[in-house]
Amino acid sequence: MKIFCGIDWAESHHDIALVDEDGELPAKRRIADDAAGYRLLLDLLAEHGDCSETLIPVAIETSRGPPVAVLRTGDRKLFAISPLAAARYRDRHGVSRKKSDPGDALVLANILRTDMPMHRPLPADSDQSRAVTVLARAQQDAVWNRQQFGNQIRSLLREYYPAALEAFQTKAGGLARPDARTLLVAAPTPARAAKLSLAQLRAALKRAGRTRGVDAEAERLRDLLRSEHPRHPKAVEDAFGHQLLALLKQFEAACQVGDDLAQAVETAFREHPDAEIYLSFPGLGVQLAARVLAEIGDDRTRFADARGLKAYAGSAPITRASGKKSYVGRRTAKNDRLMHAGFLWAFSSLRASPDADAHYRRRRDHGDWHAAAQRNLLNRLLGQLFHCLQNRRPFDEQLAFAVPQRPASAVAA
């Protein structure tokens, strides 16, 4: 008798339900979130026929965490069911809208019993790929945190210190530049900034790591910081300065974390066997390529064809049709991290690849807005990436953007 397992996970405990192919419940149990609890889980599965030849499939509402790590052994099929999908299945078992943890575990087990072919198991990614996933997502979060702190500092400077914004907002990196952070720490208020001498400004720039054009930059900063702007009373200005220093401590930590994780990402990514294929694509540097690899993985059987990858990324349009009505629009159910990296990839490829830029321009001339044209370009690039990964070959721009030739009969007509 075939057995299916459903696990409703929580922070301190997990509910387990085993269902056979007839819908009967041969076992259920609650385990603690510790090593002893996971041993009970494996023993319970073994009691009902779980072995290396016949591994019991498991459904759970998450794709990460200790339960997934414990169960992800051998060729076991592990299904991460969306909580939204599980909620829809719950309504099939009753209209009272009652809910409980053991009941949710039973619902998850029944999803596999009735509709397992309709759900996709977790991909069998290598340990290298999963390590890149951890680091790339952490680095992406660090960049977002850094941007958030930078936006807060920018908003604060607009209130009382516009000269600092004028000094750095036009430079690459903006307020995240080391010289900008060093100067703001040395002079958190306009009054203190106006008193800085050329020697002090030169010293601050050198502490930030600048080695070229120090004298010219120091003179530029002195003129900007001593220019006239509306000022708050001294007490209010000093209060703003204390707030700025507090934000700068968090900003400095976020910048350092982002840099450290970027180095770790580069090391892990370059050790992956698919790294050269990713880096052969226009617009993909190490960090961006690592983010794409992190979300796609290296399981070649994860997507049956390129259309599956495009739908997963959200670049392929979705059609809603009913009767005489039909609507084609952008896909909202997608991997948001992959779509974010994809938009950056498509945008950066415009400079790196003349053919990618020409494809984008054709879509704009066709009537697409900027976002739609970028999404179409990303769709094309993802199709080429799928082909290159499946065939273990680098990107070839002439083949990727080749215009299909019309048949001779069609030309003659």
Side-chain angles (χ1 to χ4, degrees):
M1 182 81 58
K2 195 168 185 179
I3 299 295
F4 306 90
C5 176
I7 300 178
D8 182 80
W9 70 282
E11 184 175 340
S12 59
H13 65 268
H14 313 293
D15 284 277
I16 306 166
L18 299 182
V19 175
D20 61 26
E21 54 191 354
D22 293 331
E24 300 295 330
L25 183 68
K28 64 177 182 178
R29 185 168 298 177
R30 172 171 288 186
I31 63 171
D33 184 45
D34 54 23
Y38 296 128
R39 282 195 296 269
L40 288 176
L41 168 60
L42 296 177
D43 292 342
L44 180 64
L45 294 175
E47 289 175 11
H48 291 82
D50 186 71
C51 61
S52 58
E53 291 78 17
T54 56
L55 293 169
I56 295 176
V58 178
I60 188 171
E61 288 183 335
T62 182
S63 60
R64 56 187 183 272
V68 175
V70 169
L71 293 168
R72 209 167 183 174
T73 56
D75 296 327
R76 183 191 307 279
K77 288 186 176 181
L78 189 60
F79 296 81
I81 306 297
S82 167
L84 179 62
R88 297 295 183 267
Y89 274 96
R90 191 185 304 123
D91 293 339
R92 296 173 58 181
H93 297 270
V95 296
S96 63
R97 305 189 70 82
K98 65 178 181 179
K99 183 184 183 304
S100 66
D101 292 344
D104 287 348
L106 180 60
V107 167
L108 291 169
N110 277 311
I111 289 176
L112 297 187
R113 181 177 68 87
T114 58
D115 292 329
M116 186 165 68
M118 303 298 296
H119 295 272
R120 183 176 297 170
L122 289 179
D125 293 328
S126 66
D127 292 344
Q128 277 184 301
S129 173
R130 291 161 62 188
V132 172
T133 299
V134 172
L135 292 171
R137 288 180 176 178
Q139 198 272 340
Q140 190 176 34
D141 290 337
V143 170
W144 288 342
N145 290 336
R146 182 180 66 190
Q147 184 63 47
Q148 183 179 16
F149 286 124
N151 291 340
Q152 293 180 25
I153 292 174
R154 180 179 180 277
S155 178
L156 180 63
L157 293 177
R158 284 177 57 86
E159 292 191 41
Y160 84 105
Y161 200 170
L165 285 180
E166 291 182 19
F168 297 104
Q169 65 181 356
T170 59
K171 290 183 171 291
L175 295 173
R177 295 170 59 89
D179 48 352
R181 304 198 306 267
T182 302
L183 179 62
L184 289 175
V185 170
T189 63
R192 292 175 61 177
K195 296 178 181 179
L196 292 176
S197 64
L198 278 175
Q200 290 173 319
L201 287 170
R202 284 194 293 267
L205 292 173
K206 291 178 180 178
R207 285 199 306 272
R210 190 176 182 115
T211 58
R212 298 165 59 181
V214 174
D215 293 338
E217 180 66 8
E219 293 178 3
R220 185 186 74 87
L221 291 175
R222 181 193 61 180
D223 295 340
L224 281 174
L225 296 177
R226 293 182 179 181
S227 60
E228 289 193 13
H229 290 89
R231 297 274 295 272
H232 290 276
K234 184 178 183 307
V236 178
E237 200 172 79
D238 290 341
F240 277 123
H242 284 296
Q243 183 182 0
L244 176 62
L245 289 175
L247 283 175
L248 284 172
K249 291 180 180 179
Q250 301 176 74
F251 193 39
E252 182 69 31
C255 292
Q256 185 61 49
V257 167
D259 294 341
D260 292 344
L261 286 172
Q263 294 179 2
V265 167
E266 181 169 2
T267 301
F269 174 73
R270 289 191 180 278
E271 293 175 354
H272 195 278
D274 292 341
E276 295 304 319
I277 297 177
Y278 279 91
L279 294 177
S280 68
F281 277 77
L284 275 186
V286 171
Q287 299 300 322
L288 201 53
R291 293 182 189 180
V292 177
L293 169 63
E295 304 308 322
I296 294 177
D298 57 4
D299 182 3
R300 296 291 187 265
T301 63
R302 181 176 188 177
F303 303 103
D305 51 29
R307 292 179 298 176
L309 173 58
K310 295 173 183 179
Y312 179 68
S315 62
I318 190 170
T319 302
R320 297 183 179 91
S322 178
K324 296 181 179 180
K325 296 182 179 179
S326 180
Y327 166 77
V328 179
R330 64 185 181 89
R331 191 179 295 263
T332 56
K334 60 186 183 300
N335 184 315
D336 291 332
R337 287 183 182 270
L338 181 55
M339 174 53 77
H340 182 272
F343 264 98
L344 295 177
W345 176 16
F347 185 74
S348 59
S349 69
L350 299 180
R351 282 191 173 184
S353 168
D355 287 335
D357 183 67
H359 181 89
Y360 169 82
R361 299 298 172 188
R362 282 196 300 270
R363 296 304 306 180
R364 291 302 305 270
D365 294 340
H366 185 68
D368 286 353
W369 292 90
H370 168 71
Q374 270 201 305
R375 202 159 39 241
N376 188 279
L377 175 58
L378 173 61
N379 209 46
R380 186 72 172 265
L381 291 171
L382 286 174
Q384 294 299 322
L385 176 62
F386 180 84
H387 170 78
C388 291
L389 290 174
Q390 292 293 329
N391 294 278
R392 302 294 305 165
R393 58 185 300 178
F395 175 79
D396 187 333
E397 186 163 356
Q398 293 182 349
L399 294 176
F401 294 96
V403 179
Q405 298 295 325
R406 298 175 60 188
S409 58
V411 175

